[in-house]
């Protein structure tokens, strides 16, 4: 396979300056304010974005440890396959969060529900469209017994570089 290389399109800013104590999903970060500083040459790409209440942010987990194919996720105490989790230590350290768009001013997007550490490199922005993105699901694997713990569970350093 050919190597794939991405360049950040901006930087995500948040009140979180250390990994410990962060929310582990944007659902658990209700009301947490942050911003995206987009590279100035990309501002024309923001045209019409204010017509959306929520955005999908794709970003690089720049502080994560090298990948491991079996991990013990935050919401469980059993080792799981990395692709059955959302942990940051992955073969490609790509994160995804759904955030609320508050406003746009030049190169800055004001956002809420931010579960991302300050200074995170942004790879892409996509509009969240419930008609496309919401699904009826029948199974959520091992999350079934623990998903409700997401608002009480905070990040620790288990997946962060020393």
């Amino acid at each position: 396979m050919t190597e794939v290389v991405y360049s950040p399109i901006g930087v995500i800013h948040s009140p979180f300056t250390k990994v410990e104590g962060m929310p582990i999903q944007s659902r658990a970060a209700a009301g947490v304010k942050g911003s995206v500083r987009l590279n100035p040459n990309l501002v024309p790409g923001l045209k019409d974005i204010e017509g959306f209440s929520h955005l999908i942010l794709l970003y690089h987990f720049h502080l994560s440890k090298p990948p491991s194919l079996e991990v013990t996720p935050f919401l469980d105490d059993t080792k799981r396959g990395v692709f059955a989790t959302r942990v940051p230590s992955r073969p490609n350290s790509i994160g995804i969060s759904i955030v609320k768009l508050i406003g746009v001013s030049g190169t800055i997007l004001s956002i809420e529900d931010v579960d991302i550490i300050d200074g995170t490199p942004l790879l892409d922005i996509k509009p969240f469209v419930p008609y496309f993105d919401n699904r009826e699901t029948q199974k959520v694997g091992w999350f079934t017994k623990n998903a409700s713990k997401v608002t009480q569970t905070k990040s620790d350093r288990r997946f962060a570089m020393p």
Side-chain angles (χ1 to χ4, degrees), residues 14 21 31 40 47 49 70-71 81 83 113-114 117 131-132 141 150 158:
S14 79
K47 182 180 179 205
I49 202 165
E70 291 188 11
V71 296
F83 300 123
D113 305 341
V114 181
I117 197 154
Y131 186 77
F132 302 157
V150 72
R158 75 180 82 177

Side-chain angles (χ1 to χ4, degrees), residues 12-13 25-36 49-57 59 96-104 108-116 125-129:
I12 302 166
H13 293 288
Q25 292 293 319
S26 58
R27 184 72 168 215
V32 175
K33 294 182 186 326
S35 64
V36 169
I49 202 165
E50 288 185 276
F52 297 91
S53 66
H54 289 78
L55 304 173
I56 300 168
L57 301 182
Y59 49 90
I96 181 172
S97 292
I98 298 171
V99 297
K100 184 176 182 181
L101 177 62
I102 303 305
V104 179
I108 306 294
L109 285 77
S110 297
I111 56 176
E112 271 187 17
D113 305 341
V114 181
D115 65 331
I116 307 162
I125 302 169
K126 298 182 184 299
F128 179 84
V129 181

Side-chain angles (χ1 to χ4, degrees), residues 52-97:
F52 297 91
S53 66
H54 289 78
L55 304 173
I56 300 168
L57 301 182
L58 297 164
Y59 49 90
H60 176 65
F61 284 121
H62 65 295
L63 300 179
S64 67
K65 286 181 180 176
S68 179
L69 296 180
E70 291 188 11
V71 296
T72 304
F74 294 121
L75 290 174
D76 203 10
D77 55 6
T78 302
K79 276 200 177 237
R80 307 285 180 182
V82 71
F83 300 123
T85 74
R86 294 183 168 202
V87 304
S89 296
R90 328 180 58 74
N92 286 314
S93 298
I94 298 171
I96 181 172
S97 292

